[in-house]
Amino acid sequence: MAFPDKLLADDEEVVAHLHPHGLTLFWPVVRLLAVVGGASYLAALVPDGRQQGVLRMALLGVVLVVLAATVVQPVVRWRTTHYVLTTHRLLVRTGVLTRRGRDVALSRITDVSSRQTLWQRVVRSGTVTVESAGDAGPLVLARVPDSDGVQALVAQLVEDDAERAYGEVPGAWEPADDRWSTSPLP
């Protein structure tokens, strides 16, 4: 799914649109299988008789509540978490009913770091932390797929943004005239 163009400036392009790593869905799938298997077993244990239908409907109601809390909620949270890198900024959008968003201009990013546990190294995931100038604190992107690649991409985008803003060499400054040159005095 492409990121909505209404959130982008005219000359801004999406470079990468990510969700948390797909293994975030591992435990919800395990819970789904366990709950469905357990519910099927319990439904088969319900004795025959007049109350069989009522008992199975009550079991179904409990199962649906458990599935909503332990499976549907994490899947929807995963699906509605967006990490978007554009040519001008980093956007993070999370939430279903209450949406939260944070945008950090590439020109304000001062540091990008990543952290991986041993398991995250195996599955090529990790946490990317983006430090920016301002009072909002660091922006933490949790469970990012290919966190090393994302860290390198953010650093490259920051460098490209600086080149676009300041010319070919980041930080280069040329005086308006030669009065300020550092030539030896006559």
Side-chain angles (χ1 to χ4, degrees):
M1 178 173 109
F3 200 71
D5 289 337
K6 67 181 182 181
L7 297 176
L8 303 176
D10 293 335
D11 61 340
E12 189 173 20
E13 295 178 23
V14 173
V15 176
H17 180 190
L18 305 167
H19 293 283
H21 196 278
L23 278 179
T24 305
L25 300 176
F26 176 77
W27 288 113
V29 169
V30 168
R31 284 185 224 119
L32 172 71
L33 296 173
V35 169
V36 169
S40 299
Y41 178 74
L42 291 175
L45 291 180
V46 172
D48 291 337
R50 293 179 33 206
Q51 298 297 321
Q52 183 181 32
V54 173
L55 291 174
R56 285 189 176 167
M57 290 305 275
L59 178 64
L60 178 63
V62 170
V63 167
L64 290 177
V65 169
V66 169
L67 287 177
T70 63
V71 177
V72 174
Q73 181 187 15
V75 170
V76 170
R77 186 181 310 125
W78 172 82
R79 185 70 180 109
T80 59
T81 299
H82 302 272
Y83 304 136
V84 181
L85 288 164
T86 72
T87 52
H88 298 297
R89 58 194 167 141
L90 169 62
L91 299 95
V92 177
R93 298 289 186 268
T94 60
V96 180
L97 300 176
T98 302
R99 298 283 295 166
R100 288 178 302 279
R102 183 161 173 204
D103 299 358
V104 177
L106 294 176
S107 60
R108 304 211 21 110
I109 294 176
T110 58
D111 183 49
V112 181
S113 61
S114 67
R115 180 179 170 277
Q116 289 180 310
T117 64
L118 178 60
W119 173 248
Q120 288 174 330
R121 287 179 61 198
V122 170
V123 298
R124 294 181 42 113
S125 174
T127 300
V128 176
T129 303
V130 178
E131 299 276 345
S132 64
D135 296 334
L139 180 61
V140 178
L141 310 177
R143 299 177 303 276
V144 176
D146 187 23
S147 59
D148 290 336
V150 170
Q151 177 188 8
L153 179 60
V154 171
Q156 182 63 47
L157 288 172
V158 168
E159 186 176 314
D160 292 349
D161 187 62
E163 288 177 4
R164 183 175 49 249
Y166 299 112
E168 289 301 312
V169 180
W173 178 77
E174 295 182 20
D177 57 52
D178 60 351
R179 289 184 302 165
W180 305 104
S181 67
T182 56
S183 62
L185 295 172

